[in-house]
Amino acid sequence: MKTQFFPYTFFEGDFVKTEDAKVSIMTNALQYGTGIFGGVRGYYNKDENAIYIFRLEDHIARLHSSARILGCPLPYDEAQMKDIFIELVKRNKPEGDVYFRPFGYVGNLELGPNLANTKLDFALYMIPLGEYMPLGKGLQLKVSSWRRISDNAIPSRAKISGGYVNSALARKEAADEGYDEAILLRENGTVSEGSAENIFLVRNGELITPAVSEGVLEGITRRTIIQMAADMGIPTQARPVERSELYIADEVFLTGTGCQVAWVESIDRRTIGNGQIGPITQKLREKYFGVVRGTDSDYSEWRTKVELG
Ligand code: PMP
């Protein structure tokens, strides 16, 4: 499948034609994975001819946290970056839902994986994006034979490009064996997350999710769901989860900017609950879609509206 893209991209300090946003084969980030990135969604509202960007400030803050973990500053502060997002939307005039990929990368051509005295370059592009994972069906997951990278190897808390080889290996194994997605365990055996999603279990009317110290990315959708659930009176326990607890959960779902809220039908071929979407997952999912699209007026502080008229 050919990726579609929009005409403009922010690259090397300017809005340029997307086909001109190119780096050298010698680029350090391409060779060594020395970059950090984000993934942000914008939802198109046809009646208002506007894009609602979801939790933009939080995504920008996380990008800066990733840069801090790498030890290399980004060239723009939070306010400047927000302006770049908004200006790019206005130039590209989307007529459907979009996905933004902000990317901070070591753009020099030097030999060797060196982050010392390095300022990151910054680029932002957009693609049209509907579903990242199928939403109409339950997902079939596999506990991966690969282990999640540890905080003292490549921190999962940061979205570091090179760290996604870990995700790609797990995803490949799952796909090769006919599953939709992988779940990675840590070296000590506890559950961390999917290749690009956080995981939630429902047991006895409560949510359970691996704590942020369990080798996970601090997901913005994870935080969103925990908040929405709390406001519905559903508590969340963030704590270590063992593999076998997955099998006996009443409901399991994945969260992420890409997959949004995706329900899980089976894990390691063991059916979760009765093999249907569970009532709590359903309720949270409906709320989530209403809020991100702005058809539900709650949590308006999470939406940045960009008018395209
Ligand atoms: N875990 C990993 C490893 C991810 O790459 C992502 C996607 N950014 C997530 C979880 C979900 O994070 P978010 O909800 O912020 O998109």
Side-chain angles (χ1 to χ4, degrees):
M1 192 180 72
K2 200 167 178 299
T3 303
Q4 291 181 300
F5 51 81
F6 285 100
Y8 295 102
T9 289
F10 184 81
F11 179 69
E12 296 186 340
D14 235 330
F15 295 93
V16 302
K17 290 260 170 61
T18 298
E19 55 266 35
D20 295 334
K22 289 190 176 137
V23 297
S24 162
I25 189 67
M26 291 160 64
T27 303
N28 197 276
L30 183 59
Q31 298 283 343
Y32 302 110
T34 46
I36 49 122
F37 65 100
V40 185
R41 269 190 188 265
Y43 294 88
Y44 182 63
N45 185 307
K46 197 164 190 273
D47 296 339
E48 299 172 20
N49 194 23
I51 287 280
Y52 283 104
I53 308 179
F54 190 60
R55 301 197 75 163
L56 178 56
E57 287 91 351
D58 297 287
H59 280 283
I60 291 174
R62 189 174 64 195
L63 207 61
H64 280 86
S65 299
S66 291
R68 202 164 301 135
I69 290 169
L70 215 55
C72 304
L74 283 159
Y76 304 109
D77 67 19
E78 275 86 350
Q80 289 169 319
M81 230 175 237
K82 189 171 174 184
D83 289 344
I84 294 168
F85 270 80
I86 292 171
E87 180 60 26
L88 190 66
V89 175
K90 288 185 173 164
R91 290 193 185 220
N92 280 327
K93 298 190 182 355
E95 293 178 349
D97 296 344
V98 299
Y99 181 84
F100 300 90
R101 170 53 52 82
F103 186 34
Y105 61 101
V106 179
N108 70 50
L109 311 183
E110 287 162 29
L111 194 65
N114 184 10
L115 292 172
N117 304 316
T118 302
K119 195 169 185 176
L120 299 174
D121 285 340
F122 178 73
L124 177 67
Y125 69 84
M126 289 165 60
I127 55 169
L129 189 69
E131 288 185 3
Y132 170 75
M133 284 193 149
L135 290 171
K137 65 163 221 143
L139 300 176
Q140 319 259 339
L141 306 188
K142 173 193 162 61
V143 172
S144 185
S145 69
W146 296 95
R147 292 291 166 264
R148 190 79 180 115
I149 38 177
S150 77
D151 198 58
N152 284 310
I154 305 176
S156 306
R157 179 171 282 107
K159 278 183 78 81
I160 297 172
S161 302
Y164 279 76
V165 173
N166 184 229
S167 294
L169 287 168
R171 238 186 125 89
K172 172 176 165 49
E173 181 186 70
D176 286 350
E177 295 177 21
Y179 295 88
D180 298 306
E181 179 55 305
I183 295 300
L184 287 124
L185 306 181
R186 303 173 72 213
E187 289 291 357
N188 71 354
T190 56
V191 174
S192 64
E193 58 183 339
S195 70
E197 307 86 22
N198 293 111
I199 188 165
F200 282 85
L201 289 63
V202 180
R203 292 190 72 190
N204 306 318
E206 289 186 4
L207 297 185
I208 299 163
T209 192
V212 291
S213 52
E214 291 291 303
V216 304
L217 182 75
E218 296 184 6
I220 291 165
T221 320
R222 175 185 182 278
R223 210 182 308 156
T224 301
I225 289 295
I226 291 172
Q227 181 71 53
M228 287 176 171
D231 294 342
M232 291 173 180
I234 303 167
T236 301
Q237 289 185 44
R239 59 157 172 81
V241 173
E242 290 178 314
R243 175 183 192 157
S244 58
E245 196 175 7
L246 296 174
Y247 302 151
I248 59 164
D250 303 324
E251 305 175 32
V252 176
F253 61 89
L254 301 180
T255 64
T257 298
C259 78
Q260 307 176 99
V261 180
W263 68 279
V264 173
E265 183 180 324
S266 73
I267 302 178
D268 294 338
R269 303 287 183 223
R270 290 156 177 81
T271 301
I272 302 301
N274 62 5
Q276 303 296 319
I277 185 166
I280 291 184
T281 308
Q282 179 79 47
K283 204 169 150 188
L284 288 166
R285 186 156 99 154
E286 273 166 26
K287 186 76 186 171
Y288 184 81
F289 283 120
V291 167
V292 294
R293 293 201 171 277
T295 51
D296 182 326
S297 61
D298 286 353
Y299 310 104
S300 60
E301 67 280 12
W302 288 343
R303 293 182 293 271
T304 301
K305 183 176 180 180
V306 185
E307 313 245 12
L308 298 166

